[in-house]
Amino acid sequence: MAAFRGGDAPFCLGEAMDKDTNELMTLGTMAEEMSGAEMVIRALKDQGVTHIFGYPGGAVLPIYDALFQSEGIVHVLVRHEQGAVHAAEGYARSTGKPGVVLVTSGPGATNAVTGIADALMDSIPLVVLTGQVATHLIGNDAFQECDTVGITRPCTKHNWLVKDVNDLARVLHEAFQIASTGRPGPVVVDIPKDVQFRQGRYVGPASVRHRTYRPKTEPDLAGIVKALDMMERAKKPLLYTGGGIVNAGPEASRLLRELAALTGFPVTSTLMGLGAFPASSPQWLGLCGMHGTYEANKAMHDCDLMVCLGARFDDRVTGAVDKFSPGSKKIHLDIDPSQINKNIRVDLPIIADAAKALKEMVHFWKSQRRKRALLGDWWAEIEGWRAKDSLAFRNCDTLIKPQHAVDRLFALTRGRDVYVTTEVGQHQMWAAQRFRFEEPNRWMTSGGLGTMGYGLPAALGVQIAHPDALVIDIAGEASVQMTMQEMSTAVQYGLPVKIFILNNRYMGMVRQWQQLLHGGRYSHSYSEALPDFVKLADAFGCVGLRAETPAELDAKIVEMIEVPRPVLFDCRVDPDENCYPMIPSGAAHDQMILSDAEDTAPVSEAGKILV
Amino acid sequence: MQKPVERHTIAVLVDNEAGVLARVVGLFSGRGYNIESLTVAEVDHAAHTSRVTIVTSGTPEVIEQIEAQLRRLVPVHRVVNWTLEKPGIERELALVKVAGTGEKRVEALRIADTFRARPIDTTHTSFVFEITGSPAKIDNFVDLMRPLGLADVSRTGVAAISRGPEAM
């Protein structure tokens, strides 16, 4: 049932599901009496939760008290609630398990909103528990009151305000089920303080079945066979994969590789899907979309069959929708029916969990003895595009080019168990283009919402889940200051994350757009004042390193990797470098800008209004 | 390029839980869809379900998205498009207040009679008419009352159901 793997809690037992009832059932164990706060802890344990990220406050004190008196759950104290949510996202993205957040009412909840919205856009399973003022005070403008369910309604997959302690256990189990199955996403459970104190009946996960929530995960086999027919006949096919493959678990990535091997199709991916297909494969074309490679975007534009697997035709991928892949038939596999025909009309939709659909595709391809189409001409065309070497850049002896820094970071971390997070901006795109991932769940980035400040706390969540791994936040100096306070969390928990800051003193992507669209008027995109990151590291009690020339870069990176403590790495890079290739706003995939030399490509008036 | 805007009546069967209407309405406002009318009431007390009937307008692509987004809401049981999927019957109820005396008052009563609108409150200087029918019929009636002293209108919005023996 679970499309998102890893949660070992059995949400719906077979027998329980067959019983004709919509109400709670208690199976095996008798309902136990306990306080609402104790129920929260008990439900987390029954759901297999081992780590939560949070920040205490008045309206969650009973839960923190219950946590204090229990064992088996590690609480990570952040410095700001946004950090807790991003950390939980990093934890979830790197493990496949839902991330759990515990914050107080009012500002605790509102501070969490950015992270919750981020998780919704990127389909990250989170269970966010918020304290609320006592039920009799709700609506009274009480101290630290806010309408948490109202505020989070449009940025959660679902949310609840629990007014009766006897509903609490059921709601908590439903929350885990909804967050982690179907298309994953964040949920919020708002728990008034009096409900936390009150005694009530606890029921276990096995006894809960939601009244209406039934995500469709099994593919329609006729659709699978039809897809294979189209794939067998295609002359210029392309697999366009996305975060849905990662969310469907490691098996989906394995099956994608098998399908690619069987068909010989070229593979590109969205930002969210990186790692599902190995970058070392000759069939890998690299990232697609606005800052994707020339070969990936040309292939998208010119293909005659686009097989979209767990991606959603996001505007960063499509560019101008009326010019998007004009000559192709399109197959769209997605677990969320609302994604079908949303931005791009498709010829064959398949609604299913990606792993289940891929399994059937691989199975029928083999059992029906499908023949690999002759793709020699198509591959020859692709190799011609690849020969353009669109990620090439002119290196420099005196200034560190940001691309060079990412390349060296990649080269010097080979042979290690590496996880990468990013902030948002140019550095994120350079990382996506150049850091070559071989496995899923290794790349944590804020794709849909584009949240500056995501990467540092996300790295903490990753490191908590993978204590022995090398966790690197490829950062920009502007983004990283948005959640810099979480270095203190890293120090408190001894999390040796490496914050690798490509410091160009600009909000680089803003500056790049101002250059391309606004006549080089760099309005407020330059930081006249920046902290001394090395001294800042010292103040936090971690390690500060700085590299200012290409000559010293390698040794400093090695030092960063080897020091078993959190590191702030101030990598001073060329402030004027732009991120290419780029599809300018409103343009088509065959109108890419490859370098500054051709930045005269006009951005249309219609394009200027696009973000 | 832009396809013509169509008017559709969509029924949504939801769990009658706190905030469910806000989810439906918030979906429409958040994603920029139109609501021409919306009615909601509990329809099955035992099953704890409510039915929301929404009249909306948009291109066929937008209507398709509206249905898909509605189905995505967790407390939604079913979504049916009465304009596309099944032939439906639509009715609306309105209360129409007309104030006036003399010839206009007589004329209002006469027209009301032809529309089968019932006076449910009468004073020497006013009527309140109750009228049911299609939204177009009610529009028509209200327009006719305008020169006759139309004072106030309260409309329920559309309730819809399918023809024939089948339930939603």
Side-chain angles (χ1 to χ4, degrees):
Chain A
M1 183 96 178
F4 204 93
R5 286 174 217 287
D8 18 2
F11 298 113
C12 300
L13 289 185
E15 285 100 326
M17 288 188 66
D18 293 335
K19 290 197 181 160
D20 182 24
T21 173
N22 285 328
E23 297 303 317
L24 288 182
M25 294 167 297
T26 47
L27 294 180
T29 55
M30 294 290 287
E32 294 172 56
E33 286 280 326
M34 61 182 78
S35 74
E38 288 163 345
M39 278 184 202
V40 170
I41 303 304
R42 176 67 185 277
L44 295 180
K45 286 184 182 170
D46 284 354
Q47 290 289 346
V49 173
T50 53
H51 293 84
I52 64 177
F53 302 88
Y55 201 101
V60 278
L61 285 177
I63 298 174
Y64 271 88
D65 197 33
L67 185 65
F68 189 84
Q69 297 178 54
S70 78
E71 280 174 14
I73 295 178
V74 176
H75 177 275
V76 179
L77 175 66
V78 295
R79 298 299 182 264
H80 183 287
E81 289 86 350
Q82 183 187 350
V85 186
H86 292 324
E89 286 185 276
Y91 181 91
R93 191 73 176 163
S94 66
T95 60
K97 294 198 260 183
V100 181
V101 175
L102 175 59
V103 297
T104 193
S105 64
T110 56
N111 278 346
V113 164
T114 300
I116 294 169
D118 189 273
L120 184 73
M121 289 288 260
D122 287 343
S123 308
I124 309 295
L126 295 184
V127 176
V128 180
L129 308 173
T130 56
Q132 182 55 277
V133 300
T135 47
H136 71 277
L137 291 172
I138 290 177
N140 251 352
D141 302 326
F143 178 63
Q144 293 194 329
E145 181 189 355
C146 73
D147 177 8
T148 300
V149 286
I151 290 169
T152 60
R153 197 176 287 126
C155 61
T156 50
K157 186 173 173 187
H158 197 55
N159 63 12
W160 297 259
L161 168 63
V162 183
K163 287 183 169 173
D164 181 345
V165 69
N166 289 313
D167 291 334
L168 182 57
R170 171 181 60 82
V171 167
L172 289 166
H173 298 311
E174 285 180 0
F176 275 89
Q177 185 196 358
I178 289 172
S180 53
T181 62
R183 180 178 178 181
V187 299
V188 166
V189 183
D190 198 27
I191 312 171
K193 195 171 181 182
D194 55 331
V195 173
Q196 298 170 30
F197 276 120
R198 203 161 292 147
Q199 295 286 313
R201 276 182 293 115
Y202 178 80
V203 292
S207 57
V208 171
R209 187 195 185 209
H210 196 275
R211 274 166 58 89
T212 50
Y213 178 74
R214 305 279 182 279
K216 178 180 180 316
T217 59
E218 295 291 341
D220 167 23
L221 295 184
I224 297 284
V225 170
K226 196 168 168 211
L228 296 184
D229 289 345
M230 293 164 79
M231 289 165 72
E232 204 174 15
R233 283 198 304 268
K235 294 192 169 58
K236 299 176 167 191
L238 177 67
L239 298 179
Y240 150 47
T241 66
I245 305 283
V246 180
N247 276 351
E251 181 64 4
S253 293
R254 193 192 66 71
L255 288 161
L256 169 66
R257 291 155 198 232
E258 195 174 352
L259 185 70
L262 287 170
T263 58
F265 286 6
V267 184
T268 183
S269 169
T270 67
L271 185 70
M272 297 310 295
L274 294 175
F277 193 76
S280 59
S281 164
Q283 284 168 263
W284 173 242
L285 305 188
L287 181 73
C288 66
M290 185 171 272
H291 291 287
T293 64
Y294 187 71
E295 55 270 33
N297 286 332
K298 285 291 278 183
M300 285 201 113
H301 187 268
D302 286 6
C303 65
D304 69 353
L305 177 68
M306 181 178 288
V307 186
C308 169
L309 304 170
R312 60 182 175 91
F313 296 96
D314 179 76
D315 57 60
R316 293 301 92 161
V317 165
T318 61
V321 287
D322 54 344
K323 299 168 201 150
F324 176 71
S325 193
S328 65
K329 294 273 183 199
K330 297 172 187 77
I331 299 169
H332 188 184
L333 164 65
D334 205 299
I335 199 164
D336 177 357
S338 73
Q339 299 311 303
I340 305 298
N341 294 335
K342 187 182 71 176
N343 296 341
I344 298 290
R345 299 297 296 183
V346 297
D347 301 278
L348 176 64
I350 300 172
I351 305 299
D353 170 65
K356 293 183 178 187
L358 282 166
K359 187 177 168 207
E360 299 300 344
M361 289 172 100
V362 166
H363 167 75
F364 280 107
W365 187 279
K366 288 183 186 163
S367 69
Q368 297 180 334
R369 299 176 189 284
R370 300 270 180 174
K371 289 209 176 58
R372 221 171 141 141
L374 293 172
L375 303 175
D377 290 351
W378 178 228
W379 272 110
E381 238 181 307
I382 291 170
E383 292 307 334
W385 297 324
R386 210 197 301 255
K388 275 235 178 200
D389 195 10
S390 62
L391 298 183
F393 65 101
R394 193 167 300 142
N395 214 345
C396 176
D397 291 339
T398 48
L399 287 174
I400 301 174
K401 290 285 182 180
Q403 300 95 323
H404 176 68
V406 174
D407 287 354
R408 293 316 300 156
L409 186 64
F410 177 74
L412 295 168
T413 53
R414 292 310 82 205
R416 292 176 188 267
D417 188 21
V418 182
Y419 291 77
V420 173
T421 71
T422 74
E423 310 293 333
V424 168
Q426 285 182 323
H427 67 273
Q428 177 190 30
M429 292 299 113
W430 281 315
Q433 290 172 339
R434 316 189 76 87
F435 210 99
R436 301 168 67 79
F437 295 93
E438 298 293 311
E439 298 295 331
N441 304 100
R442 298 300 178 123
W443 162 250
M444 276 58 55
T445 195
S446 171
L449 196 68
T451 310
M452 294 170 70
Y454 167 90
L456 195 164
L460 303 184
V462 176
Q463 190 82 74
I464 286 277
H466 308 278
D468 300 324
L470 175 61
V471 182
I472 304 169
D473 171 24
I474 299 180
E477 85 292 339
S479 285
V480 80
Q481 288 184 84
M482 289 201 174
T483 48
M484 177 56 82
Q485 76 284 347
E486 301 304 335
M487 281 316 280
S488 188
T489 308
V491 172
Q492 176 167 342
Y493 294 91
L495 304 173
V497 293
K498 315 301 178 190
I499 312 303
F500 189 74
I501 304 168
L502 298 177
N503 181 356
N504 62 2
R505 303 192 70 94
Y506 279 104
M507 290 145 230
M509 195 60 93
V510 173
R511 198 223 53 222
Q512 179 167 343
W513 280 53
Q514 288 172 334
Q515 179 182 333
L516 289 172
L517 274 78
H518 295 278
R521 294 179 294 279
Y522 300 129
S523 182
H524 302 277
S525 53
Y526 183 75
S527 300
E528 297 282 352
L530 281 173
D532 179 328
F533 288 108
V534 173
K535 283 187 182 164
L536 193 58
D538 195 38
F540 276 119
C542 61
V543 178
L545 294 171
R546 177 172 294 125
E548 291 174 294
T549 63
E552 62 178 342
L553 181 62
D554 275 20
K556 291 286 176 70
I557 290 177
V558 169
E559 190 180 348
M560 173 186 86
I561 295 167
E562 285 179 354
V563 62
R565 294 167 59 199
V567 177
L568 277 181
F569 191 114
D570 182 12
C571 185
R572 297 286 180 89
V573 297
D574 181 349
D576 297 321
E577 193 67 23
N578 282 337
C579 184
Y580 294 113
M582 178 179 184
I583 304 175
S585 299
H589 280 187
D590 59 347
Q591 299 171 301
M592 300 189 79
I593 307 175
L594 292 179
S595 70
D596 274 328
E598 34 175 316
D599 72 358
T600 48
V603 174
S604 66
E605 285 304 310
K608 277 187 189 173
I609 63 168
L610 302 174
V611 178
Chain B
M1 190 67 203
Q2 190 79 351
K3 294 207 180 130
V5 168
E6 299 172 1
R7 187 173 164 279
H8 286 245
T9 305
I10 295 170
V12 191
L13 190 68
V14 298
D15 246 14
N16 190 13
E17 62 178 41
V20 67
L21 185 60
R23 288 181 207 285
V24 172
V25 173
L27 167 64
F28 275 74
S29 63
R31 292 186 183 268
Y33 306 142
N34 297 314
I35 297 180
E36 292 189 2
S37 83
L38 182 146
T39 66
V40 59
E42 191 172 71
V43 289
D44 188 335
H45 187 67
H48 214 55
T49 51
S50 290
R51 180 138 145 183
V52 186
T53 306
I54 305 163
V55 180
T56 183
S57 58
T59 61
E61 287 77 14
V62 167
I63 301 289
E64 184 183 338
Q65 265 296 300
I66 289 173
E67 289 180 51
Q69 294 291 348
L70 283 168
R71 288 194 181 95
R72 218 175 156 201
L73 297 177
V74 168
V76 166
H77 289 262
R78 294 203 59 197
V79 177
V80 176
N81 184 330
W82 297 124
T83 311
L84 273 188
E85 289 166 51
K86 291 184 179 182
I89 309 169
E90 299 182 6
R91 286 293 179 271
E92 186 173 4
L93 184 145
L95 302 176
V96 180
K97 183 174 287 188
V98 182
T101 54
E103 191 52 39
K104 286 188 173 174
R105 179 174 159 82
V106 176
E107 179 66 1
L109 195 60
R110 205 181 58 74
I111 292 175
D113 192 46
T114 64
F115 275 77
R116 293 186 195 160
R118 240 162 23 98
I120 54 171
D121 177 69
T122 307
T123 70
H124 291 299
T125 55
S126 69
F127 288 116
V128 173
F129 295 112
E130 174 195 317
I131 178 171
T132 61
S134 68
K137 175 185 165 185
I138 292 172
D139 286 348
N140 218 338
F141 181 71
V142 170
D143 283 346
L144 287 167
M145 288 298 126
R146 214 173 293 279
L148 303 178
L150 180 72
D152 207 1
V153 182
S154 175
R155 298 173 67 151
T156 59
V158 166
I161 204 159
S162 61
R163 292 181 185 276
E166 281 168 32
M168 177 184 168

